[in-house]
Amino acid sequence: MDFYRIAWLIPILPLIGSFLVLFIGKRTPGRGAPIAILGVAASLLLSLGVFFEMIGGRGVYEREWHWLSIGPAELGIGVRVDGLASVMFVVVTVVSLAVHVYSMGYMHGDKRYTWYFAALSLFTGSMLNLVVAPNLIQLLVGWELVGICSYLLIGHWWEEKANSDAAIKAFITTKSGDVGFVLGVALLFGATHTFNMREIQELAVAGEIPRALVTAGAVLLFFGAIGKSAQFPLHVWLPDAMAGPTPVSALIHAATMVTAGVYMVARLFELFASSGAALKEVALVGAVTMLIAALLAMVQDDIKKVLAYSTISQLAYMMAGVGLGGPAAGVFHLYTQGFTKSLLFLGAGSLIHAVHSNNLSEMGGLRRVMPVTYATFLVGTLGMAGIPPLASFWSKDEIIGAAARAGGGVGQVVFVAAVVTAFLTAFYMGRALFLAFEGEYRGHGHPEESPPVMTGPLVVLAVLAAVAGLVGAPFVGAFSRWLEGAGAEAHPVEPGVLALSVGVAVLGLLAAWRVYGRGAPARDPTLSLGFLTRVLVNKYYLDDLYLKGIVRPVQYPVARAVYWTNQRILDGAVNGAAILARVFSRFLYDTVDQLGVDGAVNGAGRLVGGLGRALRALQWGRVQRYAAAALAGAAVLALLALLKV
Amino acid sequence: MSLPLHFPLVLAAALFALGAYAVVARRNGVLVLMGVELMLNAVNLNLVSFWAYLRDSLLAGQVFALFVVAVAAAEVGVGLAIVILLFRTRETASFEEADLFRW
Amino acid sequence: MNPGEVFFFLFGAAVLVSAFFVVTATNVVRAALWLVGALLGVAALYLLLGAGFLGWVQVLVYVGAIVVLILFGLMVTRAPIGRQRLETGEWWLGAGVSLVLLLLLSFIAARAFPGARISLEGSALTGTGLGIFNPRYVLPFELVSLLLLAALVGAILLARREQ
Amino acid sequence: MWIERWALTLAVVVPLVGAGVVALLPREREALAKGMGVVVSGVALLFGLLALTRYDFSLGGMQLELKLPWIRTVGASYHVGVDGISLPLFVLTLLLTFLCAVYTLRWMPEGGSAKAFTALVLLLETGMAGTFIALDLILFFVFWELVLVPMYFLIAIWGMENRVYAAIKFFLYTVFGSVFMLLGFLALYFRASPHTFDVVELVRMGSSGAFPRAFQNLVFLGLFLGFAIKVPMWPFHTWLPDAHTEAPTVGSVLLAGILLKMGTYGFVRLALPILPEASRDWAPLIGVLAAIAIVYGALCCLAQRDLKRLIAFSSVGHMGFVMLGISTLSRVGVNAAVYGMVAHGVITGMLFFLAGSIKDRYHVREIQEIGGGMLAKLPYLGGVLAYAAIASLGLPGLAGFWGEVFSLLAAFNPAPGLPLGLYRGLAVAGAVGTVLTAGYFLWMLQRVNLGSVPERWIAKPMPDVVLTEWVAWAPLLVLILALGVYPVLVFGVTNPAVTTFLALGR
Amino acid sequence: MKVDLSALAAPLAVGSGGVVVLVVDSLLPSSVLRAARRWVAAGISLAAMALAGWFVGRAGTPGETLGGAYVLDSFSLYLQGFFLVAGAVVVLVSLGGLGDETPPGEFFFLLLTSLTGMLTVPASRDLLLLFIAVETASAPAFVLAGLERKDARSAEASLKFFLVGVVSAAIMLFGMSWLYGWAGSTGLAEIARAVGARPRDPFLLAALFFVMVGFGFKVSAVPFHFWAPDTYEGAPVPVAAFLSVASKTAGFAGLAVLCFFAFQAAAGFWAPLVAAASVVTMSLGNVVALWQRNVVRMLAYSSIAQAGYMLLPLALVGRGEATDGQALSALLLYVAIYAAANLGAFAVVSAVKRQEGGVFFSDFSGLGRRSPFLGVAMTAFLVSLAGIPPLAGFFGKLLIFLVAIRSGAVWLAVVMVLNSVVSIFYYVAVAKEMWLPEPAGGAFRLSPSLALAVSAAALVVMGLVLWPDALLALPPSAVLASP
């Protein structure tokens, strides 16, 4: 079976599923969930088919059908299947299927259960469309659609204002980044007259586009990625996005949508590469982001926030990886993180489901009560920390190695940031693990292990998180071949780097164990760092800056001021002109029409009846004045005749 | 025996101006009508003078003047009727007090 | 100065003086009498200019009919006879306008026909009465008779008392 | 075939006759009026669709033309026809009016008789539809002005509290503009040799350089004032919020859905092709005003407390995108503009329907007083509102996206000869505008739709979307999706025409 | 010289009709009710007009008689036809709108007499005939204006009309007498020649200006307009309608004869003055109309403004033969279109006055809802007067714009456009009053004759857009036949 040829079905199937759920879901058994799952499952099967064909060595397949002609612009719709896409297919569909199944349990009894599945499937389809897109516009369509799905799902429990606030924040923040993205598309279109990414990159590589334009285009596109992938300084929305249901966080805000930025950079790697500066920017943004996010993760009490900052940090890793080591390095981390992070989120969901709270301070000692959750969460934590041979270890190592190899100023900065972040990651993941599962239970009620429908996906993802990295291990090296073609060489294992990365990971975990190993300490050291803690708890005051510096001013004073201008100045000018015209006509009437009349007496005289008698002498309306006017007119005419006009 | 043409023309102009004065300046409606008569007489004087100067075969000036007299009679008739009507409704023949319309 | 001019100044002065008193008389009846004088003076001028028929029409129609009508009107409206204010508030307006008119019109008229003179020879009763039967004046004649009828009817309509 | 010649005319005349018939209904038969409105506008729509079937979509020029002598004295003729630019707007007019007629079956506004209301709406339809097919300046002007009086009365009689002020403002403002437009028309007439009012002729002359540049600029000023006020472009927009807010639902729908497009259509149909050089001179100014309108409109929306007024202000911004596209003088831009007109017509029409229906249920207009929770109280109404709002903020897959994104694209790459740096700045402003647009719509949704139902509404029984509304809205809801998913529906028609027409304009 | 009576048939028929009305009415026994007498008188009047119309219809052009003093060309026939139609509508309005105390025989006699004069005006090519015709048109109108006998203001209306009328007539006559002396003839053809020979003489110019003053009064051009608002307001409404349409048109007919024919050679001197009068008249009329709360008075100022518009084509004379013809066409068409709207408006006002007793804005309150027929029609009339398409008024204005621009007088066109915009304010104000407030009274009773008049006017005003050529193509551009 030629899976490449039918790859266009991959995004379509979940979309169809979504529509079916939306329109007939309520009336079907299972309230629509099975339909959605079926759609995603079918998509997964196709993805696997594509994946194995790709492994089998099949090259790039690109097919674009003509869709629109708008003047000189030709827009196609189609598919591009290559290693990058195949890997993304698998990550997206696997995680999505796992989340769909898990949600049947997690969302059981929700008011908008059906709607939830419809949105989830819609998201999956949109994400797959983004992945499959051969041109920028199609990519943009997927890009925006996943954004709105994210909005819908973050705000799923919109009865709470906080949730809808978070949803709006997420949408608007990413949309701000999209300003750059759209302009980047416009710029590249202007330079190349095509939307096709392959053609654009070929032109860029061939030097047909001026270097400055390439850089500008790439940087503009990267703004989009900064928003979508929650990179500094637009990362602020992602922690808030945890307001959505946990499975949604796992799917959208850990494994898939947020990786779209990384994916986009990888997809357009040659474009970024033909402008070295753009690539360096990507790496530097990654370096900054990974560090500041990791620091933030250390002070969180909400387990989902810990994971959220961890996600930001790891996305930054990916960015740095793409920036320094090429698409393979970054996407490899994306791939392993996809499984690991969704595993952790679903695990966290399981915990939350059990204790009805997101807060680590209300957990503790759950190891015994929830063994499956614990085991899988442990796998995830170790993976995140970078303990071999778990999947994330290989990919993280690859990136640190790439940084080391890259050298130069940027390489060194990224290397240091990556190592420090590795330590911090191990520490905060250990902190979360221990606070949740060790010590005494600090919450309410009697937590129980989650049902199989939830633990099942956990197990599956745990297995994947454990072993999926092997394909990219230096001694296998398959992953870079998939992505960069057969010619890509596997980088040799660098023992020093390997030792360093494992070392800091172990150190971090041990430090965490030292502090949190027996449950929550009386004084959490991360919260006792004085000024630093204050800065971290307040998220570097960035939220405040945005909210108080931009959003509120625009929302209130600026908007009000503009509106005031509208009402008072612009509208006022119109009304003023009208008033002026009235005054003027009044003047004309009073003075000119009553020409030769003693005074300006008019309707006022009629209105003020009592004055009438007194003003009688001034009244106009006397016939002889009319006659006088006629005679005066004649006299003037005679004068004009005499002067021969 | 002859007469410069402009003599009667200037006289007519003066008569016309006097009539105009009466129309504007006299309070009593009947006196105003007298002013109108003076103006019309000025016109007739013009017509007749020009006829005498032109001696056109159609006697246009004289005939015109005749018609003016007839029309003047009609107008005086109507005018007096209006004055009487005004007097009947307002108890005055003074045009100055006909001022019901103000704006 | 030939006799024609002498006669003209004589009659003209009479007309002007009478007319002046018509518009300035402080007694309405006296004003009407001055009007008679002015109209007669005009009739004399017509005769001088050779329009005899018209002169007699002027005497008959104007002096005979119109002035009587006016006197009648004065009586009906019970115009107070005696000294009183007969000028409107805007008499100065009338004075100004008429003065300007007088100056302009006489200036224009005086300069319009340099050297033109009216021949007063053969001043006699010329046939205006016949002239009116020129077919050219049929329609004006019809119209003016209709007009007079309308004025008559209209005057009655306006002036009669409510029944 | 007679259809080719007469379908357009019939679609315009049927409502006119219908208006007369409805107006003459005896008082005791007044109940028939609403039904007749539906039938008459339905028949007009059928003729419109019939015209659609006879239209060759692959061609760019005028089709289904009909030219009859009209005023011989001045050489004005009854010349109608459509091309890809006018066809979508023409059909949209007929459709939207029909839907309005359907909607009034249930929600007839109060204030006057149903008979008069229906007659005025039909009269309005004639004016609007006629404007889009007129190919003679005088005919165009007649149709253009025909719209005024019915709309004035629709607002003034059936409007909200402040209706009289709004109606007069609308009327005078528009008249003011159209006077200058007429002067421009006359100037064109006299400059053309031979003198003609025929649009096709004038376009031919204009594109072959028959009009000197200074003259073009002067005429453009006249046309600009007429069209810009109608669009309305910043800063001539101040009549719009009042008119929209005070108008009855159907009036707002038609005002936003169709009337505003008359202005932008005027630019595309007349100003650009007849005055190519002046267009080039004026384009930067128009672009700047458009960009201001986008940002400004969005900011004003953020400041609104009144739902309907918010939607009204959103039109300022959206029409800004359309004008931005036009100002680029590029084929992409003009295509995007026409697309934007259609999309805005469908989406904002829908939004005003919704505003009306919400008002009919809550009897308040202030967002604050609705207080949120509509999605819980009236799930379908809330859902449709969310759908329309999200479409309006330019989500791909729904109608709002394509016009907006291609406008920006065109603004970034304007026609050669226009100041590139300026236009790129405008594109940035426009793109920032999209964020603000998303902001106010989402904020509005949050305040109206989301949250819990306030106390005062919990016990109050309210019908969710009723059948009449579904019938009136379904075509729009489907169109919003269809246009978004398959933009070829519009671009396929406009592109040949724009290509032909901008080629003429060169 | 033979008199061609068939050429004179139209005015003679109407004039005789008037006498017949008077006689028949006086022969009717006093037991016959006023209403019946009115129907009889109106019937005879209409019959006389129909007869005259028949004569007009079958008259051949060009025809002339009275030694060239009376000429039938397409210009005069068009206007005679116009006067007959307008007169008939006024008769219909009078039938439904006159007070019961008005004596019908006398009323219709005076109306027909005035109409006789009007019918003669456009055909006159002789100063004497012109003067007599104008006076015949005016003098009965002075009386008609005073016929609202129970209202003191009617007398005042009549007085103002009369006094300004006779003063203007005196000025005109003075001018005519000079003109006669200058040209040596009262024939307009001779005068035209004399004007052409030496146009640059103060005497001649003063004479021309003075003659035009007489007509300026009739068309109510500034500064000879003062009587109009007072007279319209005080006169019976049908008479106001008659004055604002027929009398005004008679003035324009006379002006057209003078401007396009007799004085054409001196256009360089008087045209700027007419232009100035046009601008001042339209501006003043419009601005003052803004402040009126009495609909008749508003319409009076409106008709002053409209006179300003109609003066505009006259100001274009002398800029070329082609544009002269077009200017005259534009004037004649505008007159007809204006007449339709204005007669219609006065008919509605008349109906309102019958019902409400007043004609203030408040009397029109809610009219549209009480009588949709009257409301729609009145709205159409006002909108047409404002010149908003698709109603007839727009086409009239369009023609004037076109000819103004074509003649190079763009500024006049611009001033007129601006004035039209100003005028919208007050026309809309009435429309607003009719539709917006809740109706204050019950349904309207409308007499059939008024309904007929309103319908006819509305048909013209609303229907012209469908077939503009019906009216616009009617007068050929060169209509004044030169004898």
Side-chain angles (χ1 to χ4, degrees), chain A residues 71 158 165 555 563 566 571, chain D residues 169 237 304 309 443 446 495:
Chain A
W158 41 253
D165 279 344
Q555 207 172 1
Y563 186 56
N566 188 69
D571 212 19
Chain D
K169 195 164 165 187
H237 65 279
Q304 295 313 312
R309 210 168 165 81
W443 195 31
Q446 185 187 27
N495 191 45

Side-chain angles (χ1 to χ4, degrees), chain D residues 7-248:
Chain D
L8 298 178
T9 302
L10 282 170
V12 172
V13 168
V14 164
L16 184 65
V17 174
V21 173
V22 170
L24 293 177
L25 278 179
R27 211 173 282 259
E28 57 274 17
R29 292 292 172 121
E30 197 158 330
L32 284 177
K34 291 192 272 185
M36 283 188 62
V38 174
V39 172
V40 171
S41 56
V43 171
L45 177 61
L46 278 183
F47 280 119
L49 297 177
L50 208 57
L52 214 53
T53 63
R54 299 305 167 108
Y55 185 85
D56 184 342
F57 289 89
S58 61
L59 299 180
M62 284 295 162
Q63 299 186 36
L64 311 178
E65 278 184 86
L66 174 64
K67 188 170 181 176
L68 300 173
W70 184 41
I71 317 178
R72 285 178 222 260
T73 333
V74 298
S77 56
Y78 177 81
H79 187 184
V80 295
V82 287
D83 68 352
I85 294 169
S86 44
L87 184 70
L89 297 168
F90 178 66
V91 175
L92 179 67
T93 305
L94 301 176
L95 174 68
L96 218 48
T97 317
F98 172 67
L99 298 182
C100 284
V102 172
Y103 184 81
T104 49
L105 280 181
R106 170 157 177 137
W107 303 109
M108 176 58 76
E110 291 166 12
S113 78
K115 191 172 87 171
F117 188 85
T118 310
L120 287 174
V121 168
L122 291 175
L123 200 58
L124 193 63
E125 181 178 16
T126 297
M128 295 186 301
T131 306
F132 292 126
I133 60 169
L135 290 179
D136 179 282
L137 292 181
I138 295 298
L139 190 63
F140 179 89
F141 189 74
V142 166
F143 281 127
W144 174 282
E145 297 281 279
L146 177 58
V147 168
L148 275 187
V149 175
M151 187 46 93
Y152 168 80
F153 281 116
L154 283 182
I155 298 174
I157 297 181
W158 288 271
M160 313 293 163
E161 296 80 25
N162 212 2
R163 56 184 180 262
V164 176
Y165 169 73
I168 289 192
K169 195 164 165 187
F170 159 77
F171 189 88
L172 294 176
Y173 223 134
T174 329
V175 163
F176 176 79
S178 54
V179 162
F180 289 96
M181 184 176 85
L182 180 64
L183 287 178
F185 286 175
L186 296 184
L188 278 176
Y189 172 78
F190 282 110
R191 195 74 195 210
S193 86
H195 295 341
T196 180
F197 283 117
D198 194 275
V199 172
V200 177
E201 288 289 301
L202 286 169
V203 168
R204 201 176 43 69
M205 292 178 200
S207 57
S208 59
F211 304 122
R213 183 163 170 168
F215 169 78
Q216 286 194 19
N217 275 310
L218 201 63
V219 173
F220 201 101
L221 173 66
L223 302 196
F224 174 82
L225 283 173
F227 297 149
I229 286 175
K230 199 80 163 188
V231 170
M233 287 180 72
W234 190 90
F236 304 112
H237 65 279
T238 58
W239 63 267
L240 177 138
D242 290 315
H244 277 72
T245 313
E246 302 302 330

Side-chain angles (χ1 to χ4, degrees), chain A residues 530-605:
Chain A
F531 172 71
L532 187 60
T533 301
R534 225 171 30 249
V535 170
L536 290 178
V537 166
N538 285 305
K539 301 171 268 186
Y540 308 111
Y541 296 100
L542 268 181
D543 271 3
D544 286 343
L545 176 70
Y546 292 159
L547 194 67
K548 291 180 184 153
I550 301 174
V551 177
R552 288 291 174 253
V554 168
Q555 207 172 1
Y556 297 104
V558 174
R560 295 260 164 84
V562 168
Y563 186 56
W564 184 89
T565 316
N566 188 69
Q567 296 302 96
R568 297 292 147 80
I569 312 282
L570 287 181
D571 212 19
V574 174
N575 290 337
I579 290 167
L580 210 66
R582 286 156 73 98
V583 170
F584 178 64
S585 62
R586 185 92 234 176
F587 166 79
L588 266 186
Y589 174 61
D590 284 350
T591 55
V592 179
D593 189 56
Q594 303 185 14
L595 189 81
V597 178
D598 306 10
V601 181
N602 41 49

